[in-house]
Amino acid sequence: MNPLPLPDRYSPRTIEDTGTVLTAPSTEETGTHATVVLGELPLLRPRAGSGPAPHTRAGATLAKTRRGLLAGAAVAFAEHGLKRATMQHVAASAGVAKATLYNHFRTKDDVVAALLEAELQRLTALAAGLPRERALLALAEEVGGHPVLRRLAVTEPEALARLLQAADGGALTGRLGSALFLDDDTAAVVLSWLVGLVLAPGTAQQRARQAATMVRVAGGPTR
């Protein structure tokens, strides 16, 4: 099966010796909201004593390399799926030697976990920076069109199910509620809707109508 086409924002380009970053999307590709590309993922903080602090030059370089590795992982998983993708695929997509990848992640499972956490952080930050109506539409578009999720939904539904189960539902509900100023019950309803979009994204028009419905369900002040 041919890999699903990737939007330009997931196409890596190599810079200097720091791995890869992702090209910024054109205005035609961003739709109605500003997409935060994977190359700008927030740093996942290393455990104490695991490396230089991010504010040092060495720490900044490690953070940049890590972002590039996760960007490469997104490309590799979207192209090959989780089962077939190897650490070599991830390294090649990131434009680095495999040894560099192993300096940051011991196994492919570690890469998957880090990418999942980084994407959750990215989407939470996206939602928190927008009014509720725009935030819900933005989340719907991101979830419904995410290259890795779309690949898994088509070719590896079992892997997608495990990935969704690996995410802590209670923690996700809390993150979503904080970002959108929702109570836990309403946040749980919105989260269930977003998970449904992963499995059946529908059309852009359908997602927009559903997002408008979620706004009415949420009710109350948007901020």
Side-chain angles (χ1 to χ4, degrees):
M1 179 176 294
N2 294 328
L4 298 179
L6 291 173
D8 286 346
R9 67 177 179 271
Y10 290 93
S11 300
R13 57 183 172 84
T14 303
I15 57 167
E16 299 175 355
D17 60 350
T18 57
T20 61
V21 298
L22 300 181
T23 56
S26 65
T27 55
E28 291 81 9
E29 293 170 329
T30 55
T32 58
H33 67 281
T35 299
V36 182
V37 296
L38 281 176
E40 297 170 356
L41 288 172
L43 171 65
L44 299 179
R45 296 179 181 175
R47 291 184 294 273
S50 63
H55 62 270
T56 67
R57 178 176 296 181
T61 298
L62 286 174
K64 200 168 189 178
T65 301
R66 187 181 178 91
R67 288 194 297 268
L69 294 173
L70 292 179
V75 172
F77 295 149
E79 289 182 351
H80 303 287
L82 289 184
K83 290 181 180 178
R84 292 181 58 238
T86 65
M87 293 292 270
Q88 181 60 52
H89 286 137
V90 173
S93 295
V96 301
K98 192 160 64 171
T100 300
L101 177 61
Y102 278 108
N103 284 338
H104 292 260
F105 304 104
R106 293 183 178 180
T107 67
K108 186 173 70 174
D109 286 345
D110 290 341
V111 178
V112 172
L115 180 61
L116 176 61
E117 173 60 22
E119 282 293 84
L120 292 176
Q121 289 186 22
R122 179 178 72 86
L123 294 176
T124 300
L126 172 65
L130 295 171
R132 184 182 294 160
E133 183 173 4
R134 290 179 59 198
L136 288 169
L137 180 57
L139 289 175
E141 289 304 302
E142 288 284 344
V143 169
H146 195 286
V148 178
L149 296 179
R150 297 294 354 112
R151 167 72 190 226
L152 297 182
V154 172
T155 63
E156 298 180 52
E158 305 89 352
L160 177 59
R162 289 195 299 272
L163 194 64
L164 294 175
Q165 290 172 358
D168 185 338
L172 284 180
T173 299
R175 289 186 183 189
L176 192 62
S178 295
L180 297 174
F181 289 84
L182 301 173
D183 61 66
D184 288 346
D185 290 340
T186 305
V189 171
V190 173
L191 180 60
S192 295
W193 166 61
L194 291 172
V195 171
L197 291 180
V198 173
L199 303 174
T203 65
Q205 292 76 13
Q206 288 171 330
R207 293 192 294 272
R209 290 196 297 269
Q210 292 170 13
T213 299
M214 285 296 106
V215 171
R216 293 193 292 273
V217 169
T222 62
R223 281 288 180 266

